């Protein structure tokens, strides 16, 4: 089993335990691969939901550029919803899981087809 496969399994378990969701493994795999080498870096592999600059980067680089969403108030609401869903008290928000939840929230699975 490759390191990437191990991480995808870990992310699926995270979705199950912390969010109560059964992952769409095909989509989770595509989102994880889309994160590139960031998933292997300790700092880059997580999202700091309490860091306004980090959330702004997620909004601009992932939601607007990658998913093609308009930069409006719905993005802030979507980010807040996903943070609540993943758990505000949960300090380890894996980037791939966070992005997966955003894709599902905004119904943009087609961006990973």
């Amino acid at each position: 089993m490759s390191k990437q496969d191990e991480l995808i399994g870990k992310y699926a378990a995270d979705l199950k335990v912390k969010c109560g969701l059964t992952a769409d493994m095909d989509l989770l795999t595509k989102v994880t691969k889309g994160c590139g080498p960031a998933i292997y870096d300790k700092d880059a592999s997580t999202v700091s939901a309490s860091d306004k600059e980090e959330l702004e980067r997620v909004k601009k680089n992932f939601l607007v550029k990658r998913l093609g969403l308009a930069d409006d108030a719905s993005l802030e609401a979507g980010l807040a919803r996903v943070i609540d869903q993943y758990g505000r008290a949960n300090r380890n928000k894996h980037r791939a899981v966070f992005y997966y939840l955003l894709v599902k929230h905004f119904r943009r699975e087609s961006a990973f087809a």
Side-chain angles (χ1 to χ4, degrees):
M1 182 181 280
S2 72
K3 179 71 173 166
Q4 186 178 62
D5 291 338
E6 288 176 29
L7 288 171
I8 292 169
K10 179 179 176 181
Y11 300 153
D14 216 35
L15 280 164
K16 183 93 170 156
V17 172
K18 295 178 182 170
C19 303
L21 300 173
T22 300
D24 171 343
M25 293 305 290
D26 184 48
L27 180 61
L28 182 59
T29 299
K30 289 176 180 176
V31 171
T32 301
K33 287 181 179 180
C35 289
I39 62 171
Y40 304 109
D41 181 84
K42 186 173 177 7
D43 185 48
S45 68
T46 59
V47 173
S48 174
S50 61
D51 183 348
K52 301 260 187 252
E53 290 177 10
E54 170 97 25
L55 292 178
E56 193 61 33
R57 278 191 299 275
V58 169
K59 186 169 79 169
K60 286 189 183 338
N61 295 332
F62 186 70
L63 296 177
V64 175
K65 288 182 183 176
R66 178 72 169 124
L67 298 185
L69 299 170
D71 190 356
D72 59 25
S74 70
L75 300 187
E76 296 291 333
L79 283 168
R81 169 77 172 90
V82 165
I83 291 167
D84 287 339
Q85 184 177 13
Y86 206 166
R88 287 197 179 269
N90 171 26
R91 293 184 47 102
N92 295 317
K93 291 176 179 61
H94 297 288
R95 185 169 302 278
V97 175
F98 195 77
Y99 285 6
Y100 173 90
L101 292 170
L102 287 168
V103 168
K104 292 298 250 181
H105 174 78
F106 288 106
R107 298 185 183 132
R108 298 297 294 194
E109 293 89 340
S110 61
F112 290 92

